[in-house]
Amino acid sequence: MDRITRDTVLDTAMRLVMESGIENLSMRKLAAELGVAVTSIYWHVGNRDVLVDQLVDRVIAEMGAISVDGSTPVERVVSIARSTRRMILERPHLVGLVRERGLESLMMLPARKALVHEMTAAGLRGARAGEAVQAVQYQVAGFVMLERALENSAAEPPAVDEWRAELAREDPELADSLSNVTDGDRLFVLSVRALVESLLG
């Protein structure tokens, strides 16, 4: 009796991709992780391309679980942005895979629908509502891209340190704030809230 299921295979494949990227996922490695023969993997999910397609479908479905909280329009829109950012940050390799397959717009559709609902409920219509929705989605995407770039960046060049030292003579608190590691969650909420308040203002 086979002791694995399709869901077990997909769960394990998702974990392996999240840990080390899609390029490191092989059917042999997956079978070894599950303690079964490679043929068992093929029986449950098909070949590697089919497996990857099923992983993409799963990510798109998971990205549909947008959480909307709050009692005001601003709080509700900010909660959609936070939920979207969190789901992207938790699945970097898988989101990259969805992007490679050209399905980004489908992945972002649930968030877009939720934003449209909240913007129109707040009284925006037509092009103004459309621009507001896009502004929030661009803010989320741009923020995540910058976060990832900064995580992978090397030490700052001397010119940056010199500039910060000059700034410290004028405003030590400001210079100190720019020297500290950014609290990404706090900065994200601050920026999205300011954007949404101006859009709904």
Side-chain angles (χ1 to χ4, degrees):
M1 178 71 75
D2 200 341
R3 58 191 177 81
I4 64 168
T5 64
R6 176 179 171 276
D7 283 338
T8 307
V9 174
L10 290 175
D11 289 343
T12 305
M14 284 273 261
R15 180 174 55 76
L16 291 175
V17 171
M18 288 174 76
E19 288 172 358
S20 55
I22 191 67
E23 63 279 357
N24 293 313
L25 177 68
S26 70
M27 301 304 261
R28 287 188 183 281
K29 186 173 182 179
L30 183 55
E33 190 75 15
L34 289 163
V36 298
V38 175
T39 52
S40 183
I41 304 294
Y42 286 110
W43 173 261
H44 286 286
V45 295
N47 63 28
R48 188 177 185 281
D49 285 340
V50 175
L51 169 64
V52 170
D53 286 341
Q54 290 178 62
L55 291 178
V56 168
D57 289 344
R58 203 181 242 210
V59 174
I60 290 172
E62 287 179 0
M63 291 294 286
I66 298 294
S67 126
V68 184
D69 302 306
S71 56
T72 69
V74 170
E75 288 173 354
R76 293 173 68 78
V77 172
V78 169
S79 76
I80 294 168
R82 289 180 75 185
S83 179
T84 305
R85 171 178 168 263
R86 186 186 66 251
M87 287 191 284
I88 293 171
L89 289 176
E90 288 173 353
R91 302 163 177 79
H93 295 300
L94 291 162
V95 169
L97 179 62
V98 172
R99 188 176 298 123
E100 284 176 24
R101 295 285 166 119
L103 298 172
E104 245 180 324
S105 58
L106 187 59
M107 180 182 74
M108 298 305 289
L109 183 60
R112 180 162 282 205
K113 286 180 177 180
L115 287 169
V116 166
H117 175 78
E118 295 303 328
M119 294 300 186
T120 55
L124 298 187
R125 293 289 184 274
R128 189 163 173 224
E131 287 177 349
V133 168
Q134 290 187 62
V136 173
Q137 289 200 296
Y138 272 67
Q139 175 70 11
V140 174
F143 197 97
V144 169
M145 285 176 62
L146 184 56
E147 276 184 297
R148 288 191 182 150
L150 291 175
E151 281 175 8
N152 299 324
S153 64
E156 291 182 322
V160 175
D161 290 331
E162 290 167 13
W163 170 78
R164 198 176 286 121
E166 289 174 18
L167 182 61
R169 288 190 284 276
E170 300 170 23
D171 190 336
E173 189 178 347
L174 172 57
D176 187 51
S177 173
L178 293 173
S179 300
N180 294 331
V181 176
T182 302
D183 179 345
D185 293 334
R186 184 174 176 282
L187 188 59
F188 179 75
V189 171
L190 176 72
S191 61
V192 173
R193 184 177 296 280
L195 172 65
V196 176
E197 285 174 351
S198 70
L199 291 168
L200 298 181

